[in-house]
Amino acid sequence: MKPLGRYAALHGYVELGRSLGLDPVRLVREAGLDPASLSLQDRWVPAAAIAGLLERSAAEAHCEDLGLRLAERRRFANLGPLSLLIREEPNVRSALRVMARHEHMYNESLHTRLTESNGIATIRLALDIGQPGETRQAIELAVGVLHGILRGFLGTGWQPVEVRFTHAAPREIHRHHRIFGPNVAFDQNFNGIVTYTTDLDANNALSDPQLRAYAQQFLGPAHIDHTATTSDRVRELIELMLPTGRCSIEQIARSLGVDRRTVHRQLGAEGQTFTALLDATRAELAQHLVANRRHSLTEIAEMLAFSTPSNFSRWFRNRYGRSPRQWRDDRSQRSGEDGATLR
């Protein structure tokens, strides 16, 4: 199946797009993504869709350094739970190795490799989105984010020996020089950063041995070799696509880069079916949405892809023994009683 990335990769995209005169909501939709889900940083989507969105946005804005501009808006926390572990590593080398080992937790398409020789450390980044396509902006975003992480450890005065890109130089490279320093090379044989091995030896002043042990325990050993199952991926995509009204096995298969038979076969091997995953995911979302009075029951029926509110009510009653309105009233009453008890 085609690799997935997290919406966290697009942190700051809407604001940046608007500042460049783009219509980011339209572009996100045309890329096959859901604008309403951009705030859900841990939601998985096809990496190719993210790369395609960045390329089209750069073209429409006539902005060759869009990926770098987006990298400047990224924060350490955008790595999700992994940021907790990296922050507590004792030195830069250890932090980079942890990032490489757990990179599947934030981007399945990104591959990091660290090599050291004769006092020089080379950090190579490769991007495999699972299909042909331009990835210039996604590469510059990834290298920019890596550079920002290294500066977080080494200080704002640090500069790499060289930053390399396999693609050709843009017409204007002042932003590259401002971010990376004077030694930026294009048309190279790899994408990444070259620095001194002594930089990797630098101690992390923020590291706490006790917190490091806790962070490792928090992530758990299962994450080290974790690969998302087909069921995991399908469930994530169901959550993503339900509110768009495009949640079908065919659409799920297209997002994963396979045909529907492959999805059925792989789910079957894991003891699951698409219908069962759809129903279970829909049920979890229904409980959450009904309990929260932010949306009307009609809106919830639409968000869960029911053809009519009455169909939604009938399904909900059959599953939970109460109508959605009764469920909501019961939850509100229970919350009120709990609040009164606390007071």
Coordinates of all heavy atoms in Angstrom, one line a residue, residues 225-255:
D225 N 9.2 -1.3 16.2 CA 9.0 -2.0 14.9 C 7.6 -2.0 14.4 O 7.1 -2.8 13.7 CB 9.5 -3.5 15.1 CG 10.9 -3.6 15.5 OD1 11.7 -2.9 14.8 OD2 11.3 -4.4 16.4
H226 N 6.9 -1.0 14.9 CA 5.5 -0.9 14.6 C 5.3 -0.6 13.1 O 5.9 0.3 12.5 CB 4.8 0.2 15.4 CG 3.4 0.4 15.0 ND1 2.3 -0.5 15.2 CD2 2.8 1.4 14.3 CE1 1.2 0.0 14.8 NE2 1.5 1.2 14.2
T227 N 4.4 -1.3 12.5 CA 3.9 -1.0 11.1 C 2.4 -1.0 11.2 O 1.8 -1.9 11.6 CB 4.4 -2.0 10.1 OG1 5.9 -2.0 10.1 CG2 4.0 -1.7 8.7
A228 N 1.8 0.1 10.7 CA 0.4 0.2 10.7 C -0.3 -1.0 9.9 O 0.1 -1.3 8.8 CB -0.1 1.5 10.1
T229 N -1.2 -1.6 10.5 CA -2.0 -2.7 9.9 C -2.9 -2.1 8.9 O -3.3 -0.9 8.9 CB -2.7 -3.5 10.9 OG1 -3.8 -2.7 11.5 CG2 -1.8 -4.1 11.9
T230 N -3.4 -2.9 8.0 CA -4.5 -2.5 7.0 C -5.7 -2.0 7.8 O -6.3 -1.0 7.4 CB -4.8 -3.6 6.1 OG1 -3.7 -4.0 5.3 CG2 -5.9 -3.1 5.1
S231 N -6.1 -2.7 8.8 CA -7.2 -2.3 9.7 C -7.0 -0.9 10.2 O -7.9 0.0 10.2 CB -7.5 -3.3 10.8 OG -7.7 -4.6 10.3
D232 N -5.8 -0.6 10.7 CA -5.5 0.7 11.3 C -5.7 1.8 10.2 O -6.3 2.8 10.5 CB -4.1 0.8 11.8 CG -3.8 -0.1 13.0 OD1 -4.8 -0.3 13.8 OD2 -2.7 -0.6 13.3
R233 N -5.1 1.5 9.1 CA -5.1 2.5 8.0 C -6.6 2.8 7.5 O -7.0 3.9 7.3 CB -4.3 2.1 6.8 CG -2.8 2.2 7.1 CD -2.0 1.6 5.9 NE -0.7 2.1 5.8 CZ 0.1 1.9 4.8 NH1 -0.3 1.2 3.8 NH2 1.4 2.4 4.8
V234 N -7.3 1.7 7.3 CA -8.7 1.8 6.9 C -9.5 2.6 7.9 O -10.3 3.4 7.5 CB -9.3 0.4 6.6 CG1 -10.8 0.5 6.4 CG2 -8.6 -0.2 5.4
R235 N -9.3 2.3 9.2 CA -10.1 2.9 10.2 C -9.8 4.4 10.2 O -10.7 5.3 10.3 CB -9.8 2.3 11.6 CG -10.7 2.8 12.7 CD -10.3 2.2 14.0 NE -11.3 2.5 15.0 CZ -12.3 1.7 15.3 NH1 -12.5 0.5 14.7 NH2 -13.2 2.0 16.3
E236 N -8.5 4.8 10.1 CA -8.2 6.2 10.0 C -8.9 6.9 8.8 O -9.4 8.0 9.0 CB -6.7 6.4 9.9 CG -5.9 6.0 11.2 CD -5.9 7.1 12.2 OE1 -6.5 8.1 12.0 OE2 -5.2 6.9 13.2
L237 N -8.8 6.2 7.7 CA -9.4 6.8 6.5 C -10.9 6.9 6.6 O -11.6 7.9 6.1 CB -9.0 6.0 5.3 CG -7.5 6.2 4.9 CD1 -7.2 5.2 3.8 CD2 -7.3 7.6 4.4
I238 N -11.6 6.0 7.3 CA -13.0 6.0 7.5 C -13.4 7.3 8.3 O -14.3 8.0 8.0 CB -13.5 4.7 8.2 CG1 -13.5 3.6 7.2 CG2 -15.0 4.9 8.7 CD1 -13.8 2.2 7.8
E239 N -12.6 7.5 9.4 CA -12.8 8.7 10.2 C -12.7 9.9 9.4 O -13.4 10.9 9.6 CB -11.9 8.7 11.4 CG -12.1 7.6 12.4 CD -11.2 7.7 13.6 OE1 -10.4 8.6 13.6 OE2 -11.2 6.8 14.5
L240 N -11.7 9.9 8.5 CA -11.4 11.1 7.7 C -12.5 11.4 6.7 O -13.0 12.5 6.5 CB -10.1 10.9 7.0 CG -9.8 11.9 5.8 CD1 -9.5 13.3 6.4 CD2 -8.6 11.4 5.0
M241 N -13.0 10.3 6.0 CA -13.9 10.4 4.9 C -15.4 10.5 5.2 O -16.2 10.9 4.4 CB -13.6 9.3 3.9 CG -12.3 9.4 3.2 SD -12.0 8.0 2.1 CE -10.3 8.4 1.5
L242 N -15.8 9.9 6.4 CA -17.2 9.9 6.7 C -17.8 11.3 6.6 O -18.9 11.5 6.0 CB -17.4 9.4 8.2 CG -17.8 7.9 8.3 CD1 -17.9 7.5 9.8 CD2 -19.1 7.6 7.6
P243 N -17.2 12.4 7.2 CA -17.9 13.7 7.1 C -18.0 14.2 5.7 O -18.7 15.2 5.4 CB -17.0 14.6 8.0 CG -16.3 13.6 8.9 CD -16.1 12.4 8.0
T244 N -17.1 13.7 4.8 CA -17.1 14.2 3.4 C -18.2 13.6 2.5 O -18.4 14.1 1.4 CB -15.8 14.0 2.7 OG1 -15.6 12.6 2.5 CG2 -14.6 14.5 3.6
G245 N -18.8 12.5 3.0 CA -19.8 11.8 2.2 C -19.2 10.9 1.1 O -19.9 10.5 0.2
R246 N -17.9 10.7 1.2 CA -17.2 9.9 0.2 C -16.5 8.7 0.8 O -15.5 8.2 0.3 CB -16.1 10.8 -0.5 CG -16.6 12.0 -1.3 CD -15.5 12.7 -2.0 NE -14.6 13.4 -1.0 CZ -13.3 13.0 -0.8 NH1 -12.8 12.0 -1.4 NH2 -12.6 13.7 0.1
C247 N -17.1 8.2 1.8 CA -16.6 7.0 2.5 C -17.1 5.7 1.9 O -18.1 5.2 2.3 CB -16.9 7.1 4.0 SG -16.0 5.8 4.9
S248 N -16.4 5.2 0.9 CA -16.8 3.9 0.3 C -15.5 3.1 0.2 O -14.4 3.6 0.3 CB -17.3 4.2 -1.1 OG -16.3 4.7 -2.0
I249 N -15.7 1.8 0.0 CA -14.6 0.9 -0.1 C -13.7 1.3 -1.3 O -12.5 1.2 -1.3 CB -15.0 -0.6 -0.2 CG1 -13.8 -1.5 -0.2 CG2 -15.9 -0.8 -1.3 CD1 -13.0 -1.5 1.0
E250 N -14.4 1.8 -2.4 CA -13.6 2.2 -3.5 C -12.8 3.4 -3.3 O -11.6 3.4 -3.7 CB -14.6 2.5 -4.7 CG -15.3 1.3 -5.3 CD -16.5 0.9 -4.4 OE1 -16.9 1.6 -3.5 OE2 -17.1 -0.2 -4.7
Q251 N -13.3 4.4 -2.5 CA -12.5 5.6 -2.2 C -11.4 5.2 -1.2 O -10.3 5.7 -1.4 CB -13.4 6.6 -1.6 CG -12.8 8.0 -1.3 CD -12.3 8.6 -2.6 OE1 -13.0 8.6 -3.6 NE2 -11.1 9.2 -2.6
I252 N -11.7 4.4 -0.3 CA -10.6 3.9 0.7 C -9.5 3.3 -0.1 O -8.3 3.5 0.1 CB -11.2 3.0 1.7 CG1 -12.2 3.7 2.6 CG2 -10.1 2.3 2.5 CD1 -11.7 4.6 3.6
A253 N -9.9 2.4 -1.0 CA -8.9 1.7 -1.8 C -8.0 2.6 -2.6 O -6.8 2.5 -2.7 CB -9.5 0.6 -2.7
R254 N -8.7 3.6 -3.3 CA -7.9 4.6 -4.1 C -6.9 5.4 -3.2 O -5.8 5.6 -3.6 CB -8.9 5.6 -4.7 CG -9.5 5.0 -6.0 CD -10.1 6.1 -6.8 NE -11.3 6.7 -6.2 CZ -12.5 6.2 -6.3 NH1 -12.8 5.1 -7.1 NH2 -13.5 6.8 -5.7
S255 N -7.4 5.7 -2.0 CA -6.5 6.5 -1.1 C -5.3 5.6 -0.6 O -4.2 6.2 -0.4 CB -7.3 6.9 0.2 OG -8.3 7.8 -0.1

